[in-house]
Amino acid sequence: MSTDPWGRVDDDGTVYVRTAEGERAVGSWQAGEPEEALAYFHRKYDELAGQVQLLEQRLKGTDLAPAQAEANIAKLRESVADAHAVGDLAALTARLDGLTELVGQRREEVKAAREQARAEARTVKERIVAEAERIAEETTHWKSGGERLRQLVEEWKAADRIDRVTEAALWKRLSAARTAFAKRRKHYFAGLDEQREGVRSAKERIVAEAEAIADSTDWGATAAIYRELMQQWKSAGRASREAEDELWARFKGAQDQFFQARSAVFAERDASLAANAEIKEELLAEAEKILPVTDVRTARGALRHILERWEAAGPVPREQRDRLEGGLRKVDEAVRKAEDAEWKRSNPEARARAQSTVDQLRTSIEQLEKRLAKAQTAGRAKDVKEAEEALIARRSWLEEAERTLTEFS
């Protein structure tokens, strides 16, 4: 009989393994030495130990699902319990017990992670639903709002599932929000179509009026009507793009027809007025020589004579009119200012008022000087300061009043 710590081979070739419960026959060996038999059944044990080690590595090094791990452990338990092998089978069973505990921990971790994921998914889906309901109720940016709702549906699909009851309730709210948005958008565009139809009718009337006066030769009044029609066009709003483009082309065509005809007439008229402009250029140069005004009466007489010839010269081309009229107006204003200044200097009432102001200020200064002297003698610093400040102000006013009085001399 051959033996080792974990088994033996009997004389009849029966191979036994030693366990805590006693010996158990695991096979027979008739073809060789007992040592060879034990070596063979040791290898069987090593194969089992390798399978246990591999499961340990998978469980500790990968995210093997607890259910699959338990199935593998149960299978290995059966293999160890009925193993035709010689070795420390109890050690393998203990290792499998340790793996069972580890799987239990893994199951709790997976459960906690799943609950956490569901809680996070619920938060995500509640946020999705809340945003969808806000869009459905508030937004008027229909294109971006619709696109955002589609994005929210994709975000919903990408999120983890939660408990069936909550999932169904939140999905119902999301669907209701999408439906409400679609209805509100449809209602808006229906109203917009009605509004645009009203704008189209208003602009049809504007265009018809514009086309009716396109051949008018009442240039001033018709131009004013076109300006008014343009204001009506701008305030009417917008019709559909097709109607807007077609009506604007007609409106602009009528305007162009009228203003081009007016421009042609004005251009012909301006050409006939070029000689008048040359006369007024010479008169303006003559008027500008009056400045600066040294003798008011002579300047006014010269300007009056120029104005008479100016009126007699007649109208000038439009592009020159503002410049010529503005130049003569500047000369006239300069002469008027000189006349006003002359009148002020020769006005006896104004001179008397200026003299009175000077006299009053001089009297006031004399009184303040006396008050200052008394305050200085009495040592009243506050009164001295107030009197000095008042004197500075009065003397400044007196200089200005005397300068004004001198202008009347």
Side-chain angles (χ1 to χ4, degrees):
M1 182 178 62
S2 176
T3 63
D4 79 355
W6 302 110
R8 69 184 178 86
V9 180
D10 207 350
D11 292 338
D12 61 359
T14 302
V15 181
Y16 294 91
V17 62
R18 292 188 176 94
T19 67
E21 291 79 16
E23 290 186 334
R24 175 171 61 82
V26 295
S28 64
W29 188 263
Q30 305 295 331
E33 297 296 325
E35 289 77 8
E36 294 177 358
L38 290 173
Y40 171 79
F41 284 98
H42 274 307
R43 287 195 298 271
K44 291 294 185 181
Y45 175 84
D46 292 340
E47 290 178 4
L48 276 176
Q51 293 179 37
V52 172
Q53 182 178 9
L54 179 61
L55 182 57
E56 288 174 334
Q57 292 173 347
R58 289 182 63 194
L59 193 56
K60 295 176 181 179
T62 68
D63 56 352
L64 183 64
Q68 186 178 353
E70 285 182 339
N72 290 339
I73 291 172
K75 185 177 180 180
L76 280 175
R77 282 187 186 279
E78 292 178 3
S79 298
V80 170
D82 299 330
H84 297 283
V86 174
D88 191 356
L89 296 177
L92 295 182
T93 300
R95 290 167 66 181
L96 290 173
D97 290 342
L99 290 180
T100 299
E101 293 180 4
L102 183 60
V103 169
Q105 295 174 4
R106 175 72 58 83
R107 185 181 298 278
E108 291 301 319
E109 292 172 357
V110 169
K111 181 180 178 180
R114 185 180 297 114
E115 290 176 354
Q116 177 66 24
R118 284 181 176 175
E120 293 176 355
R122 176 169 181 164
T123 300
V124 169
K125 291 187 173 182
E126 287 175 344
R127 189 263 306 163
I128 290 171
V129 170
E131 184 176 352
E133 289 174 337
R134 181 185 58 77
I135 291 173
E137 182 178 352
E138 299 176 4
T139 190
T140 55
H141 299 285
W142 307 111
K143 183 176 180 181
S144 60
E147 179 60 29
R148 182 55 185 155
L149 283 176
R150 286 189 289 272
Q151 292 174 356
L152 290 175
V153 171
E154 295 302 319
E155 291 179 19
W156 175 284
K157 293 178 180 178
D160 292 336
R161 294 186 64 84
I162 55 179
D163 65 276
R164 183 175 299 177
V165 174
T166 305
E167 180 97 5
L170 289 174
W171 176 255
K172 184 177 180 180
R173 287 172 58 191
L174 179 60
S175 299
R178 295 169 66 194
T179 301
F181 176 81
K183 288 182 178 179
R184 200 160 62 88
R185 178 173 57 184
K186 182 178 180 181
H187 177 73
Y188 170 80
F189 282 108
L192 187 61
D193 289 341
E194 182 178 351
Q195 177 185 351
R196 285 176 173 173
E197 181 60 24
V199 172
R200 188 195 64 76
S201 298
K203 289 192 171 181
E204 283 277 10
R205 177 190 57 76
I206 293 171
V207 170
E209 187 173 349
E211 290 174 337
I213 60 175
D215 295 326
S216 174
T217 56
D218 187 357
W219 310 118
T222 305
I225 293 173
Y226 271 116
R227 286 192 293 271
E228 174 60 25
L229 290 176
M230 177 59 77
Q231 290 301 319
Q232 293 179 23
W233 177 281
K234 291 179 179 178
S235 61
R238 291 189 62 83
S240 64
R241 179 175 298 179
E242 297 78 7
E244 189 79 12
D245 291 344
E246 187 267 334
L247 290 171
W248 173 251
R250 289 172 56 193
F251 184 51
K252 189 173 185 302
Q255 285 189 102
D256 290 346
Q257 178 181 338
F258 169 78
F259 286 108
Q260 287 170 5
R262 188 186 71 163
S263 296
V265 171
F266 283 3
E268 182 179 354
R269 181 186 300 171
D270 289 347
S272 66
L273 300 179
N276 297 347
E278 292 180 3
I279 295 173
K280 288 193 173 182
E281 289 280 7
E282 295 175 357
L283 291 173
L284 178 58
E286 182 180 343
E288 288 173 342
K289 292 178 181 179
I290 296 174
L291 306 179
V293 178
T294 56
D295 186 327
V296 174
R297 188 169 299 176
T298 301
R300 173 53 67 185
L303 183 58
R304 187 180 299 109
H305 182 57
I306 291 171
L307 287 172
E308 291 173 356
R309 289 181 289 160
W310 185 279
E311 294 299 328
V316 298
R318 287 179 302 163
E319 64 271 12
Q320 295 175 276
R321 181 175 56 208
D322 292 343
R323 180 181 60 82
L324 292 170
E325 295 289 346
L328 188 61
R329 193 179 303 112
K330 289 180 180 179
V331 175
D332 183 60
E333 289 174 354
V335 173
R336 288 181 184 276
K337 288 181 180 179
E339 289 174 334
D340 291 342
E342 177 67 20
W343 182 84
K344 288 180 180 179
R345 284 195 297 271
S346 61
N347 186 350
E349 293 181 359
R351 188 184 189 289
R353 285 195 299 270
Q355 182 65 58
S356 175
T357 301
V358 169
D359 293 342
Q360 290 175 6
L361 286 170
R362 286 174 178 169
T363 300
S364 177
I365 289 171
E366 290 177 2
Q367 293 173 352
L368 285 170
E369 287 174 343
K370 292 177 181 179
R371 188 188 308 171
L372 175 61
K374 290 181 180 179
Q376 289 173 337
T377 301
R380 297 193 300 273
K382 181 179 179 182
D383 293 344
V384 169
K385 183 179 179 181
E386 291 178 354
E388 288 176 343
E389 291 176 353
L391 276 170
I392 292 172
R394 297 303 191 282
R395 285 167 180 164
S396 174
W397 298 345
L398 178 60
E399 289 179 6
E400 183 65 26
E402 289 175 339
R403 189 180 302 111
T404 302
L405 180 60
T406 302
E407 293 178 357
F408 289 98
S409 302

